Structures are given as structure tokens and as C-alpha cells.
């Protein structure tokens, strides 16, 4: 496949080490030695609308997202601190809780790690997509433990299986193929946003909706 070079920073130019210079100066040095068409696309702005438009165009071109950088920051090799923030699109799905695992450490005694399922519109069953315990506050842990136990159908030493009744809104960064789960797909970086008590399980998103994110 053909390859193209895009340069996003300049760390050393003509014998001079630029690591401790602010990004603004490093970009000026970069522009002096790298043709414009080989520089990574970037936008310097304080306007939120311009930043959103640039972000949308980058995602539309097939990239994961953008990295927001402080123009006065030096290059901190090997680290991505507050001066570099990766921003990706956030997708959401309404999924059904199929089971939950008992927590450990400070979450001991609470049902924590959720098994997430999407609705199969053909069979009416729910297809597991993965698990997450991210995004859960202490209040949510207490609430979901009580509610899930009221829907319990069976359990073993470390997990409780429940009736597919509770709908939870899940944020995620993307979908990938997976041989681990029966639906053939899994969510990337799934985290809980909120429970949707206004929705019933038959209003949850379908496995076909989830698979559409692969395209």
C-alpha cells in the first residue's frame, strides 16, 4: 500500500534540541524545514465552533479523533499529561444488564462489573457485548445492587444473573470484532452514563445497530 509522511512536531532541527521550547516555537521550526503538504493538519484557535468543525472533518476523514495541545507547553517525552488531551467521538447505546459481578476492594459487597446485552430483533433474545464497571459512582453501585438483586434468577460464587429488565446508557469509543462474545462484536472503552428507567428492555438498541458501527 502507498504510504504518506505527515510530521506533527519538531524535536531537533539543524543541531538544535527543541524539546524544552514551547509548542508554538517548535511548530515554527517545523514549518521552516517540512513542506506544508507533509505537515499534520492542525488548527490554532480559541473558538469552540471552529474547533468542533475541525474535529468533525477529521473524524469524517476516518481518523479516531484529535489531540488537543497547549501551545506554550514543552515536549514531555514519553508522557501525555494535561498539555496533551486525546479527544475522540463519544457514541452511546441503550443496553440491557444481563448479569453483574461482585466487586472487590472498596466495591466489595456491591454488584459492580455489568454484563451488557443488545436486543436481537429476530429472536427477541439478548446478545452479550461485553462488560464494564467504569463510570459507576458509589450511589449508582448501591442503587444497582438493590435493583439487580430484585431481578435475580440465579447466581454463582462471583456473579448474579438477572432478568433482562434494566436498561443502561453506555458510552463507548467504538466497536470491534470479537470471538469472545456470541454477537461477534465488542464495545471499546465502554462506561456507564446513567440508567434509563424511562425505557423498557424491548426498547433497547439492537445487535444490528451495534454491528453498524463496524462499517
Amino acid at each position: 500500500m502507498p504510504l504518506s509522511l505527515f510530521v506533527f512536531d519538531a524535536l531537533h532541527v539543524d543541531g538544535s534540541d527543541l524539546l524544552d521550547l514551547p509548542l508554538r516555537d517548535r511548530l515554527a521550526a517545523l514549518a521552516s524545514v517540512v513542506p506544508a503538504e507533509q505537515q499534520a493538519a492542525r488548527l490554532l484557535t480559541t473558538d469552540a465552533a471552529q474547533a468542533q468543525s475541525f474535529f468533525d472533518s477529521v473524524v469524517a476523514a476516518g481518523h479516531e479523533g484529535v489531540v488537543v495541545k497547549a501551545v506554550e507547553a514543552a515536549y514531555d517525552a514519553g508522557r501525555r499529561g494535561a498539555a496533551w488531551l486525546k479527544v475522540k467521538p463519544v457514541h452511546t447505546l441503550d443496553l440491557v444488564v444481563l448479569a453483574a459481578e461482585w466487586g472487590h476492594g472498596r466495591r466489595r459487597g456491591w454488584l459492580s462489573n455489568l454484563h451488557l446485552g443488545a436486543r436481537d430483533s429476530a429472536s427477541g433474545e439478548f446478545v452479550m457485548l461485553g462488560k464494564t464497571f467504569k463510570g459507576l459512582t458509589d450511589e449508582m453501585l448501591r442503587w444497582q445492587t438493590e435493583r439487580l438483586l430484585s431481578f435475580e434468577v440465579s447466581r454463582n460464587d462471583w456473579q448474579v444473573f438477572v432478568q433482562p429488565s434494566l436498561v443502561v446508557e453506555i458510552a463507548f469509543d467504538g466497536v470491534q470484532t470479537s470471538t469472545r462474545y456470541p454477537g461477534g462484536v465488542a464495545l471499546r472503552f465502554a462506561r456507564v452514563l446513567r440508567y434509563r428507567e424511562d425505557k423498557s428492555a424491548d426498547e433497547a438498541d439492537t445487535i444490528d445497530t451495534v454491528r453498524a458501527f463496524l462499517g
Side-chain angles (χ1 to χ4, degrees):
M1 296 178 63
L3 299 177
S4 298
L5 172 69
F6 294 98
V7 185
F8 66 89
D9 211 330
L11 308 184
H12 194 89
V13 175
D14 292 335
S16 298
D17 193 346
L18 311 181
L19 286 171
D20 294 329
L21 294 182
L23 175 62
R24 189 188 305 275
D25 293 348
R26 301 199 311 274
L27 291 179
L30 174 67
S32 71
V33 293
V34 177
E37 62 271 16
Q38 291 185 330
Q39 297 176 38
R42 61 180 181 270
L43 173 70
L44 178 61
T45 185
T46 57
D47 185 282
Q50 288 184 349
Q52 182 66 56
S53 178
F54 180 79
F55 175 83
D56 292 342
S57 67
V58 167
V59 173
H63 300 289
E64 278 193 329
V66 300
V67 178
V68 179
K69 300 182 180 182
V71 294
E72 301 304 328
Y75 190 91
D76 198 357
R79 298 181 181 178
R80 185 184 297 140
W84 281 32
L85 297 176
K86 182 181 286 188
V87 180
K88 298 180 181 180
V90 176
H91 310 291
T92 64
L93 289 167
D94 291 328
L95 302 175
V96 174
V97 180
L98 305 178
E101 299 172 11
W102 292 107
H104 302 279
R106 61 180 298 273
R107 293 190 175 190
R108 182 176 297 277
W110 290 340
L111 288 172
S112 177
N113 204 12
L114 302 175
H115 296 203
L116 304 170
R119 182 168 53 89
D120 185 334
S121 54
S123 68
E125 301 297 323
F126 293 90
V127 183
M128 186 173 174
L129 301 172
K131 309 176 185 180
T132 189
F133 55 82
K134 296 179 180 178
L136 292 168
T137 64
D138 287 353
E139 181 180 353
M140 292 175 75
L141 285 166
R142 285 191 289 268
W143 182 89
Q144 76 180 24
T145 299
E146 180 180 346
R147 290 300 303 275
L148 290 172
L149 288 177
S150 72
F151 293 125
E152 178 182 349
V153 294
S154 64
R155 68 168 66 192
N156 54 34
D157 289 342
W158 54 281
Q159 58 190 343
V160 174
F161 299 92
V162 299
Q163 299 171 9
S165 301
L166 283 181
V167 177
V168 61
E169 184 176 5
I170 299 293
F172 62 101
D173 289 353
V175 172
Q176 61 191 23
T177 57
S178 172
T179 57
R180 183 175 182 180
Y181 299 113
V185 292
L187 304 181
R188 298 180 63 237
F189 304 109
R191 59 264 187 206
V192 175
L193 292 181
R194 58 174 175 154
Y195 276 93
R196 297 295 306 269
E197 292 189 275
D198 59 318
K199 282 195 169 186
S200 62
D202 60 7
E203 296 176 288
D205 285 306
T206 67
I207 187 63
D208 290 334
T209 298
V210 178
R211 289 171 179 152
F213 283 97
L214 288 172

